Structure formats: C-alpha cells, structure tokens
Amino acid sequence: MDTAFTEEQDGIRRTVRDVLARRCTPEDVRAAVLAPQGYDTALWHTLAHELGLPGLALPEAYGGAGCGTLELALAAEEAGRALLPSPLLPTAVLAAPLLHALGTRRQRDRLLPALARGELTATLAVPAGTLTSALGLTGNGTGQAPWTGISGGRHGRGTQEGGFGATGLAATGFGAGGRGADGSGGSWAGGGRAGGIQARPADGGWRLYGEVGQVLCGHTAGLLLVAAHTGGFARSRTVLFLVTADAPGLTRIRQTALDETRPVARLELRDVPAEPLGPPEDDAGPALAAVGPGVAAVLAAEAVGAADGALRRTVAYVGVRHQFGRPIGSFQAVRHRLADVYVRVEAARSAAYYAAWAAGTEAAARAETAAPPSSTVPVPPGDGPAAVPEGRVNGVDRANPAEGRANGAGPGRPGPAGDGPGEARVDGPLALAQALEALRSAAAETVQLHGGVGFTWEHPAHLAFKRAAGDTLLFGPAHLLRARAAARAGLFAPRTRRASERRDGEAVAV
C-alpha cells in the first residue's frame, strides 16, 4: 500500500474543501436544513455538475470519473468536515454501487449516467434500524444475537431454540425469515409477521406493499431502491426493486430527525408498481454484503471529517478564550483533553483511509476477474447482465490490470488484510466503529470546552454533537460493528478439545 496520495486525490480533497468553505458555513447549514428538500439545491448542483461527485466512483463508460472508493472517501471526509446536508451519501455511496452490481445492461445504461451527472438522486430503502444488518456490518446472519450467543424468543428474550419474534426484530434487525444479512435470505428485510415491504407478482409485473422509515433523503430521491421480501417461507429471499418518485400508491413523508443534516423520510407503499433490480429469482443479500465494506469506509471517512472539524474549531476557540488572564488552551488539563481527541481522530483517519483503499482494491480485482481486459464482454441483446466497460473501474485502468495487483490484490491472491476467497472484509466495519467513537469524543469535548456557549442553539457545536449521536443510531453502535467483525474473523469460534480432553474418543466442541 502506497500511503502517499496522488496529485489527483489531493486535488479532489482541496477542491471540495475550498467550495464547502465558501458555501457551507454553519449559517448555510442552518438555512439548508430548513428548506423543504433538507439541503441546498444550488450547492448540490455545483457539487454534481461542476465537480462530478456523484459519479466519482462510477466507470467512465457511464459518465463517471472512473475513480475508486478512496477518492469518494476523501470527498466524503470534506463533506463531513462541513457537516454538509446533501444526497451524496444515499446516491453515490448506497444506491450507485448496487445499481452497478445488480442492474441489467438496460438499467445501467438508463440510470447510471443520470446519477453520475447529478440529474437523478437515489436512495436505499430498508426497514428502519436495519441498514447495517442489510449491508452485513452488524448481526451474524444466523438469528442469534452476536453479543449473547443465544437466540431471541417470541418477545425478543433469549432462549436456546427460539427464533426472533416480531418484538425482537427492532433490537436485532432479524425477522421471521430465519436467515441473515450475509446473503442467505435477508430476514432483516421483514416478511410475514415481521413487517417491512412485501413483493408479489401481479399482471406481468411486481407490486409492493408495506412501510419503511428512516430512509435517507427518501422524501426527495427521484429513484428508490426498495428492499422487499418475497417467495414466502419456502423460497424466502430479499429482492431490490426500483420505484420512481411518481409511482402511484407511493406516499413519502419527511420525518423529524435528531440530526437535521441527514434528512430522513417514511415511505408508505400501497400496491406500488416496481421493477426488479436484476433477476427477481436472485437474493440481493450477497450484493448488499459485498458493497458493505465500501459503504462503511466512506461513512468512516465522513465521521473522521466531522470529528476533525469539531476539533479544529475547539482548538481555535481555546486559543482566544481567556480566563484568569490567560488563554484556557494554555492550561495543561485542557491540552491533555484535546491531545486525547487528536490521537483518536488521527487513528480513526488512518483506519478509514486503509479501509477505503482496501475496498477499492478489492472491487477493482473483482472487476478484473469478471471479464478479460478487452473493450467489453459481448452479451446478447436484452436485459442480460451488463458488459464490463473499458476505461477505469474503481480507480484501476482495465487496460493495465497490474495497477490493481501492484497495490496488493489480484486474481488468485488474497486481498488486503489477508482476506481469502469467500471471506468478508472486516476493516470497513472496524474503521467505522473507530470513527464513530472518535466523533463522539470530539463532539463531547467541543461542547464541554466551549463552556456556557457550547450548548446554545445559536452556536454550531450542537450540530457536531447531533451528527455524532445520529450516526451512532443509524450506522452503529460501535460494539455491534466490532462484534460482527470478530465473528467474521473467527475470534470466538468454537474450538475442538484436545485428544486428552475428549470423552469416549469423540471430539467435543467448546
């Protein structure tokens, strides 16, 4: 891994920071969150049309810049520093990778260029509180709570053989389907008594019925990627469906959010016509889990940016605030508290950068092995899988696949951090957990060290504090992210007794 950024990457970071420093001040943020959209549409036009941020990680064949997850993470870090309210996260980080991974050729050709230009915004709609389970970042995919090792009973209490009931769903993200978020049924999406969105075939198409809440920018997105349960118990699976903003039967209501810089909405679907994203016979769980590490890396970078912004504002304040005839920043107790925050932020920054690099390198390796590095892979006319375009994919030139291998990944080789074939990455969730804790620490010290003015509505300190609390609710908590990573790494896997410990010559798992 080359730890130095390229000139292109430094240019992306510098350009986004300069634009947001001029047009996304705390006063601008306050005004933007009060708008009906929840963000500044003029600023979004600049970021999308002039800077091309929504298409930063999309292939050039679809109008994107052909960069990778690391470049998108650098842009997200600057967005987090300014606490930017925008549809960048749901469009470029959540929806675009899924469209590229699951969409048919016609769906990609129709939708991805519009997303790359910023003419269309999109979001992912999953039941409230299950986003991280859907992306494979929390939970363990077996119907068991990872922090206890036992299943939930009918009312969410622990039993040795019971499955999660409807009441236990809210706390765990698992429902009646009995299978988890790692690509084996996606019970986090609901089904039967568990609620969520139900899909059924009708009149040669599909219809959706149900309700989901806390959908990021769900009230303004022009395209919704709705996770719906179908197939009943026998063929239970989760399928992503495309729903347009003007679909009949769709009601969208903006919800009150703790963090106003992340507008959320409740979606009510009543017999809404929908188009499957890719073949409806396939479960969307593996694709969601595949994009999860990249999403976690970008979210971690954004949280690091918010933490760094709060820390810098606090350092500037304690340098000018005087008490007892001297700046309060000269007191050793204040210095030590800020030094602790600085260490946490820098450690989280390093983890986020590595996770973003690793996710981009792995995605480039997958694109390389999906097809030969010639121009395109021929596909029959119709809605077959999309061709792999020429040009740059996730920051790697397809004409020069050695570029990706030089950074530590390639066909037949383990990717970064030693993940072998079929193994899920854990650096993304771990980086997100560390970044969330760094942001929480920085926001708390910001409020505390600003004294009496720090908790007032007029001061911007509460914006960082609410971002920290809101991100923990939406994307955490940190201990569940770490529990999932530990389970994937096999840190707490059952071991087999030694021969001397066996009873009657049989191996006993403990």
Side-chain angles (χ1 to χ4, degrees), residues 333-419:
V334 174
R335 288 181 175 182
H336 285 181
R337 293 172 70 165
L338 290 176
D340 289 341
V341 175
Y342 176 80
V343 170
R344 291 192 180 99
V345 171
E346 290 303 311
R349 192 195 311 275
S350 297
Y353 286 168
Y354 175 80
W357 168 82
T361 302
E362 186 174 274
R366 287 198 304 266
E368 180 186 336
T369 57
S374 54
S375 58
T376 57
V377 180
V379 294
D383 284 337
V388 179
E390 65 178 350
R392 298 184 67 84
V393 178
N394 281 285
V396 176
D397 193 341
R398 291 196 53 78
N400 183 21
E403 179 181 344
R405 290 192 294 269
N407 285 331
R413 293 183 54 186
D419 289 331

Side-chain angles (χ1 to χ4, degrees), residues 197-217:
I197 302 294
Q198 311 298 317
R200 62 179 178 86
D203 302 327
W206 289 82
R207 299 278 176 166
L208 305 184
Y209 190 94
E211 178 180 313
V212 291
Q214 296 182 14
V215 179
L216 294 170
C217 291

Side-chain angles (χ1 to χ4, degrees), residues 63-481:
C67 295
T69 307
L70 181 55
E71 287 79 8
L72 187 58
L74 293 176
E77 182 182 2
E78 298 308 319
R81 188 188 311 277
L83 299 177
L84 170 71
S86 79
L88 179 64
L89 171 62
T91 299
V93 182
L94 293 176
L98 291 171
L99 279 168
H100 186 253
L102 292 176
T104 64
R105 182 175 58 175
R106 289 179 179 175
Q107 289 172 338
R108 294 187 188 187
D109 292 341
R110 184 178 80 247
L111 298 172
L112 288 181
L115 288 179
R117 294 190 299 267
E119 299 172 356
L120 178 67
T121 59
T123 189
L124 174 64
V126 298
T130 66
L131 179 60
T132 53
S133 294
L135 296 172
L137 304 178
T138 59
N140 63 1
T142 63
Q144 290 186 327
W147 58 94
T148 61
I150 59 176
S151 300
R154 291 185 59 189
H155 302 288
R157 294 188 293 268
T159 64
Q160 287 296 337
E161 55 273 341
F164 282 113
T167 306
L169 174 71
T172 62
F174 291 89
R179 290 180 289 183
D182 58 351
S184 56
S187 55
W188 48 266
R193 59 178 180 169
I197 302 294
Q198 311 298 317
R200 62 179 178 86
D203 302 327
W206 289 82
R207 299 278 176 166
L208 305 184
Y209 190 94
E211 178 180 313
V212 291
Q214 296 182 14
V215 179
L216 294 170
C217 291
H219 60 301
T220 59
L223 180 68
L224 305 172
L225 276 65
V226 181
H229 178 268
T230 188
F233 185 82
R235 300 185 62 247
S236 174
R237 65 191 184 278
T238 298
V239 181
L240 290 181
F241 290 88
L242 302 176
V243 177
T244 57
D246 57 354
L250 172 64
T251 302
R252 308 192 290 179
I253 304 170
R254 183 177 178 181
Q255 296 178 291
T256 301
L258 172 63
D259 178 16
E260 292 182 313
T261 64
R262 288 205 194 279
V264 295
R266 184 175 75 251
L267 308 181
E268 298 175 357
L269 298 92
R270 301 292 182 266
D271 210 31
V272 174
E275 174 188 358
L277 181 61
E281 299 81 13
D282 298 339
D283 195 293
L288 285 162
V291 304
V295 173
V298 176
L299 289 173
E302 187 188 49
V304 167
D308 187 64
L311 175 61
R312 289 175 181 270
R313 286 190 292 270
T314 306
V315 170
Y317 176 78
V318 299
V320 297
R321 172 72 167 89
H322 283 68
Q323 187 63 270
F324 304 110
R326 56 190 292 193
I328 62 174
S330 63
F331 297 121
Q332 189 178 51
V334 174
R335 288 181 175 182
H336 285 181
R337 293 172 70 165
L338 290 176
D340 289 341
V341 175
Y342 176 80
V343 170
R344 291 192 180 99
V345 171
E346 290 303 311
R349 192 195 311 275
S350 297
Y353 286 168
Y354 175 80
W357 168 82
T361 302
E362 186 174 274
R366 287 198 304 266
E368 180 186 336
T369 57
S374 54
S375 58
T376 57
V377 180
V379 294
D383 284 337
V388 179
E390 65 178 350
R392 298 184 67 84
V393 178
N394 281 285
V396 176
D397 193 341
R398 291 196 53 78
N400 183 21
E403 179 181 344
R405 290 192 294 269
N407 285 331
R413 293 183 54 186
D419 289 331
E423 297 181 7
R425 301 208 57 84
V426 298
D427 34 37
L430 290 177
L432 178 56
Q434 192 166 1
L436 290 176
E437 290 183 339
L439 175 55
R440 183 183 63 181
S441 175
E445 293 295 352
T446 295
V447 173
Q448 183 69 25
L449 294 179
H450 275 81
V453 73
F455 64 88
T456 61
W457 180 259
E458 292 76 16
H459 196 275
H462 70 90
L463 296 176
F465 187 84
K466 291 177 179 178
R467 171 61 68 90
D471 278 8
T472 298
L473 293 174
L474 285 173
F475 311 123
H479 71 276
L480 291 188
L481 293 166

